[in-house]
Amino acid sequence: MNYFTTKQAANLLGVNDESYVRKLVLSGKLEANKVGTQWMIGEEAIHKFKVKNDIKSKYKALLSFNQELRTLADKMLDKSQKMVGPRDMFTAFAIGKGYKTHGAVLLLGKQGYGEDASILARSLFDLLINLLYIQADQTDGRAYRYFQYDWILRKKIFTYALGKPEIMDKIQERTINPRPDDATIQEVEEQAKLSQEKNNYTERGWSDKSLHDMAQEVGRIDAYKTVYRLQCQLDHNATRSVNEYAKQSQDGIVFEVGQSGNWVEESLVIAFDFYYSILVAFNSHFKAGFGKEISDLENRYVAELSEINKKS
């Protein structure tokens, strides 16, 4: 790896002031090693800084809107809601889980890991579709079906553990010193049997429909067939995803595994769309009173997205 002085690094970063580079080093924003009295900066550190700086500048508007979305979510999370049924519980779970995942997408995107940010954004779509599908059933049947599936998952874990003495030893230790929410193996087996008899679960999971069919029912099939499928290529290491990480050149295979701007814009747009939709569903379900703020944010975001599309 090549190393550069602060003066050389300033030229590589396109700035005239060498003191600016020293400030970056001293603040920890730019990695460097001190050799004698001179700071030496590796080319990888310079590349990382340029990528993050370029992303911050190029996608300033998208990052800002996503941060506004998080600020709105903060207000919703801070407002207490009365929860009396399983749909209430799942809706609260969705905004909370989505908040954390959305934050992780932003962190990865800012650092230049757009591909991985996109994979996480994909999980926001899964969460959104499950939420809308469960909310659409006023009888709470789908919500109960979702939560009762936990017994089926526990049963699968215990069944696997029966053939693993080392795991069973841990379970026996836990049986002697149980936690407040622990259940015995017998209880798990009984509840799993009752849940299976009542809901007739199949191998596809908790729902009686595939994600495709649920997306169709709740009106998000276009997103499923486009954005979601593209994200699946990365998540499942499909053939098409190879081009994102390795390319054939005249000199051989070039590996593109460092930080870059790849997939950053897509991830920021997708994350906003899916988590925004979760907030809309939350506000509507609890009648939380954030309709005007949601509408204002949407209108400004759509206008900004239109300008971005014109420039691209």
Side-chain angles (χ1 to χ4, degrees):
M1 180 188 295
N2 296 320
Y3 285 86
F4 305 92
T5 63
T6 51
K7 184 175 182 179
Q8 292 170 325
N11 291 329
L12 291 171
L13 291 173
V15 296
N16 297 321
D17 190 0
E18 181 185 353
S19 65
Y20 170 72
V21 176
R22 285 197 293 270
K23 288 178 182 178
L24 292 175
V25 170
L26 293 173
S27 65
K29 295 180 180 178
L30 182 62
E31 298 175 19
N33 296 312
K34 201 164 191 179
V35 180
T37 59
Q38 178 67 267
W39 285 107
M40 300 300 293
I41 305 157
E43 58 183 335
E44 183 177 348
I46 293 173
H47 171 72
K48 287 181 180 179
F49 179 82
K50 287 182 70 174
V51 167
K52 289 188 283 187
N53 203 47
D54 288 346
I55 288 172
K56 184 178 179 181
S57 175
K58 187 175 181 180
Y59 304 117
K60 181 179 179 180
L62 288 176
L63 288 167
S64 177
F65 273 108
N66 271 283
Q67 191 55 53
E68 276 195 67
L69 189 66
R70 293 186 68 72
T71 300
L72 180 55
D74 285 331
K75 293 181 181 179
M76 291 184 174
L77 288 165
D78 286 342
K79 185 176 181 179
S80 60
Q81 305 293 344
K82 184 179 180 180
M83 290 188 286
V84 296
R87 276 188 302 143
D88 296 340
M89 181 73 74
F90 188 85
T91 302
F93 155 75
I95 192 176
K97 182 181 186 298
Y99 184 87
K100 197 165 186 177
T101 302
H102 179 263
V105 170
L106 296 190
L107 286 173
L108 286 169
K110 289 176 183 178
Q111 294 295 320
Y113 295 109
E115 297 89 351
D116 296 279
S118 178
I119 292 171
L120 273 181
R122 172 184 180 270
S123 72
L124 284 175
F125 178 79
D126 192 293
L127 180 63
L128 170 64
I129 298 305
N130 278 273
L131 172 62
L132 296 179
Y133 184 69
I134 286 173
Q135 284 189 347
D137 176 22
Q138 301 297 315
T139 70
D140 279 345
R142 291 173 181 174
Y144 279 120
R145 182 184 176 93
Y146 172 85
F147 285 109
Q148 288 168 0
Y149 189 65
D150 182 55
W151 293 112
I152 304 299
L153 295 176
R154 292 196 198 187
K155 172 72 163 48
K156 288 182 178 180
I157 293 172
F158 280 138
T159 299
Y160 176 79
L162 288 174
K164 301 288 181 179
E166 65 277 14
I167 300 179
M168 286 303 299
D169 288 343
K170 296 292 184 183
I171 292 176
Q172 291 301 326
E173 289 179 18
R174 185 76 167 261
T175 302
I176 296 171
N177 300 294
R179 295 178 183 175
D181 59 343
D182 279 355
T184 64
I185 295 178
Q186 182 180 357
E187 183 183 1
V188 169
E189 290 178 340
E190 290 174 353
Q191 292 298 325
K193 182 180 179 181
L194 290 173
S195 297
Q196 181 62 36
E197 290 174 351
K198 180 177 180 180
N199 298 298
N200 193 29
Y201 296 114
T202 65
E203 287 302 315
R204 69 165 42 113
W206 78 267
S207 178
D208 56 345
K209 293 184 179 180
S210 66
L211 187 66
H212 170 279
D213 292 340
M214 287 193 287
Q216 178 93 54
E217 182 170 322
V218 301
R220 296 304 299 259
I221 192 63
D222 286 344
Y224 177 90
K225 289 185 174 181
T226 54
V227 173
Y228 181 77
R229 281 184 173 174
L230 282 172
Q231 293 167 319
C232 286
Q233 299 287 336
L234 293 171
D235 190 27
H236 298 305
N237 301 307
T239 306
R240 194 172 183 277
S241 70
V242 173
N243 293 329
E244 302 294 336
Y245 302 95
K247 290 183 171 66
Q248 183 71 44
S249 71
Q250 292 181 344
D251 299 322
I253 296 176
V254 177
F255 293 99
E256 297 186 354
V257 294
Q259 290 158 266
S260 71
N262 296 343
W263 279 86
V264 172
E265 181 176 7
E266 294 87 344
S267 298
L268 294 176
V269 171
I270 292 165
F272 183 96
D273 177 14
F274 296 158
Y275 193 51
Y276 166 83
S277 298
I278 289 173
L279 296 193
V280 171
F282 179 92
N283 184 67
S284 176
H285 178 79
F286 284 112
K287 296 179 175 55
F290 292 94
K292 187 177 184 305
E293 290 180 69
I294 288 173
S295 179
D296 174 64
L297 179 59
E298 178 187 14
N299 291 335
R300 289 187 292 107
Y301 176 73
V302 170
E304 181 63 36
L305 208 57
S306 178
E307 289 299 315
I308 292 174
N309 290 333
K310 287 179 184 177
K311 295 174 183 176
S312 61

